Amino acid sequence: MNLLNTFFNVPVLLASLPQLLFGLLVTLQIGVTSILAGLVGGLALALLRLYGARPVRVATRIYIDIFRSIPLLVLLIVVYYALPFVGIRLSPFVSAVAALSLVSAAYTAEIFRAGIEAIPHGQFEAAQALGLSPRHMMVDVILPQAIRIVIPPLTNNCINVMKDTALASVVAMPDLLKQATQAQALSANPTPLIGAAIIYVALLWPMVAAVGRLEQRFAKGRR
Amino acid sequence: MSALIEIANLRKAYGSFTVLHGIDLAIEEGEVVCIIGPSGSGKSTLIRCINHLEPFDRDSRILVDGIPVAPGRGLAAVRAEVGMVFQSFNLFPHMSVLRNVMLAPMRVRGLSADAAARRGLELLARVGIDEQADKYPGQLSGGQQQRVAIARALAMEPKALLFDEPTSALDPEMVGEVLDVMKQLAASGVTMVVVTHEMGFARQVADRVLFMDGGRIVEAGPPAQIFDAPREERTRAFLRAVLNH
Ligand SMILES: Nc1ncnc2c1ncn2[C@@H]1O[C@H](COP(=O)(O)OP(=O)(O)OP(=O)(O)O)[C@@H](O)[C@H]1O
Ligand SMILES: [Mg+2]
């Protein structure tokens, strides 16, 4: 009974719910913006890495390796706390989105590259032999096939970005986690934290399940 | 009076291994040329150089309808004028059969969707696939897919068609339907360069047969000469080997 009162205190939960939902909204804003920016940036990086001039290929490769190695929390703190020393002062929202997008773009680039490289060489040759420009070859022939392959790993990456938005609370972003810790402090009860955890799971479980289904369907469709 | 395809001193090497040793060849408009020869003799490499799917030596020269085949602006023009049919079809699996045929005329020639669809259906009828226009390549047999690939190449109204062993990936019972389409094309005056192991087809349809070995054209001439009275010992040995099969 005591345990229930501590972790699942219904009055506390109801009282903190509006605050948690506001936090969820902020989390979604950060997450969706970062995912979209990461997708666009990742596709551009993948194309540069595959088809750019040699120095460009090397540069994108270095970028991708660095941003896959750096811990997101470290990057976020550098962006928010270190950049002001050189006069670059970003808001918490922009800092969080910048850090998440920079890293997500690096992962997305590798996913797109693997997808493009999985397309049989004959598809490129057929497109070239028909006289299609490189742009039309990619847009009409290669990418539509590659997208199918990369949907499961891309969805996985989206889940990771959504989870990582919780780190934004360290730069004072009023996201779901931050709201929950504040509500917890206010009510001297951890129920809002449990509430936040449940909301995270409710948000991401469908995506996790979708990846599983997509991967299964993909494995069958390949035969 | 220049030929449609002119090849002069075509050389190609992978590292120290020379695949083509300076080939000279001129193909006239309307001519059907069949290339035969043992595996690894450079047949595919030769025809893939014509539309620059394979890069080749700098001092080599290929002209298609007077346009030099080289990376850059002119290459798109060459590729628009030269169709290619591959051993493994290489249809676009995510598009319907009709879209496969419509794509290049729309994107490269700027045809409207209506005009491209009309031309596409006409060509699919010509190769006997018009009933399947809305199906996807994966739903067709190998022979049907290869006929679609021929229609796709024809849709650009190319000046010449290149075939790289178009029937080698097919089940035996489907070889005939593809060869029949190719015979019709040859009869209608399409310029064709065909790498093939189908000696019957070469004998019946070719104006000229090239026998390649070791990256060189060892012997060339009308089918009657190559098949009935080959002058080179290597040609004789090759024909003995394949015809005794
Ligand atoms: N990417 C490559 N790297 C190295 N050698 C290659 C490469 N591609 C082809 N070759 C070699 O070039 C030679 C000619 O190949 P090509 O494919 O033109 O022969 P082919 O006459 O078409 O043979 P087949 O009848 O087997 O298709 C072969 O010896 C082959 O091993
Ligand atoms: Mg070959």
Side-chain angles (χ1 to χ4, degrees):
Chain A
M1 218 65 242
N2 206 358
L3 208 67
L4 218 61
N5 252 329
T6 310
F7 288 110
F8 298 99
N9 191 311
V10 175
V12 171
L13 184 64
L14 287 180
S16 65
L17 201 55
Q19 199 180 348
L20 292 184
L21 289 181
F22 173 76
L24 172 63
L25 198 68
V26 174
T27 288
L28 284 173
Q29 279 169 351
I30 301 172
V32 171
T33 313
S34 307
I35 286 170
L36 291 179
L39 281 176
V40 174
L43 180 57
L45 284 171
L47 293 174
L48 290 175
R49 160 115 199 235
L50 284 169
Y51 306 114
R54 216 187 123 70
V56 176
R57 291 206 305 267
V58 172
T60 40
R61 194 188 163 158
I62 293 172
Y63 171 94
I64 290 169
D65 287 353
I66 289 179
F67 281 90
R68 291 202 311 163
S69 323
I70 192 165
L72 184 58
L73 184 54
V74 174
L75 178 63
L76 183 57
I77 288 177
V78 166
V79 168
Y80 189 67
Y81 293 103
L83 287 188
F85 286 92
V86 292
I88 304 174
R89 214 169 291 278
L90 302 176
S91 72
F93 180 81
V94 173
S95 301
V97 166
L100 282 164
S101 311
L102 288 170
V103 169
S104 175
Y107 281 99
T108 308
E110 286 300 272
I111 293 171
F112 273 120
R113 182 172 70 92
I116 291 169
E117 285 180 338
I119 305 301
H121 201 57
Q123 294 288 307
F124 292 84
E125 293 193 339
Q128 287 166 345
L130 284 167
L132 293 180
S133 65
R135 187 170 69 90
H136 282 133
M137 173 173 79
M138 290 316 288
V139 170
D140 290 316
V141 177
I142 304 303
L143 290 180
Q145 298 184 63
I147 299 262
R148 279 166 221 218
I149 301 174
V150 300
I151 281 178
L154 276 186
T155 314
N156 253 331
N157 186 58
C158 292
I159 293 169
N160 286 335
V161 173
M162 272 297 174
K163 287 201 271 196
D164 289 343
T165 54
L167 291 174
S169 53
V170 303
V171 293
M173 211 39 216
D175 75 320
L176 178 52
L177 179 60
K178 187 79 182 175
Q179 300 289 2
T181 49
Q182 277 174 356
Q184 177 227 328
L186 207 70
S187 59
N189 182 295
T191 299
L193 286 176
I194 305 293
I198 291 172
I199 292 177
Y200 277 116
V201 171
L203 177 67
L204 293 176
W205 194 337
M207 284 166 80
V208 172
V211 175
R213 273 204 308 279
L214 284 170
E215 275 168 348
Q216 233 173 22
R217 206 169 72 196
F218 186 64
K220 257 187 255 155
R222 287 238 90 176
R223 301 286 137 87
Chain B
M1 273 305 93
S2 57
L4 179 60
I5 300 172
E6 288 183 78
I7 299 173
N9 187 31
L10 176 59
R11 273 184 38 87
K12 156 114 193 149
Y14 290 106
S16 62
F17 177 66
T18 304
V19 183
L20 297 175
H21 294 269
I23 290 194
D24 296 301
L25 176 64
I27 295 169
E28 302 294 330
E29 194 158 352
E31 201 181 4
V32 177
V33 174
C34 284
I35 305 177
I36 62 172
S39 182
S41 56
K43 308 180 296 294
S44 299
T45 309
L46 168 59
I47 68 165
R48 290 161 55 83
C49 285
I50 295 174
N51 61 357
H52 209 274
L53 285 185
E54 298 285 352
F56 45 84
D57 241 52
R58 288 167 150 275
D59 1 310
S60 305
R61 201 167 160 72
I62 301 181
L63 296 178
V64 172
D65 205 19
I67 310 167
V69 177
R73 285 236 137 246
L75 188 55
V78 167
R79 286 177 170 168
E81 297 308 334
V82 178
M84 187 166 217
V85 176
F86 301 87
Q87 179 174 344
S88 50
F89 329 136
N90 297 346
L91 293 177
F92 305 135
H94 59 297
M95 292 179 196
S96 73
V97 160
L98 182 59
R99 292 290 306 181
N100 263 275
V101 180
M102 290 166 60
L103 180 68
M106 288 168 63
R107 296 291 185 264
V108 182
R109 299 262 193 246
L111 249 63
S112 70
D114 276 352
R118 238 176 295 127
R119 181 188 290 182
L121 285 170
E122 243 167 63
L123 286 166
L124 287 173
R126 188 158 155 199
V127 299
I129 310 279
D130 42 332
E131 314 261 282
Q132 335 267 356
D134 295 325
K135 289 198 178 161
Y136 283 80
Q139 299 171 284
L140 303 187
S141 73
Q144 290 172 322
Q145 291 191 48
Q146 194 60 299
R147 286 186 278 150
V148 172
I150 293 173
R152 179 177 69 177
L154 286 172
M156 287 295 286
E157 303 187 320
K159 295 217 160 72
L161 277 184
L162 311 174
F163 294 82
D164 191 0
E165 300 197 29
T167 58
S168 295
L170 297 177
D171 292 337
E173 71 270 20
M174 292 168 188
V175 170
E177 65 192 58
V178 172
L179 292 182
D180 284 344
V181 168
M182 292 170 62
K183 284 176 198 168
Q184 276 178 42
L185 291 179
S188 69
V190 179
T191 311
M192 294 165 58
V193 185
V194 185
V195 173
T196 187
H197 290 302
E198 297 289 333
M199 298 303 150
F201 174 84
R203 180 191 277 271
Q204 189 189 338
V205 177
D207 298 309
R208 188 157 41 129
V209 177
L210 312 181
F211 171 68
M212 282 186 74
D213 194 12
R216 292 191 170 83
I217 297 176
V218 174
E219 188 167 358
Q225 178 202 318
I226 300 292
F227 289 113
D228 300 330
R231 282 192 286 248
E232 299 289 330
E233 175 48 35
R234 276 193 283 176
T235 317
R236 266 176 258 153
F238 172 75
L239 288 173
R240 261 199 312 276
V242 292
L243 295 178
N244 281 346
H245 243 49

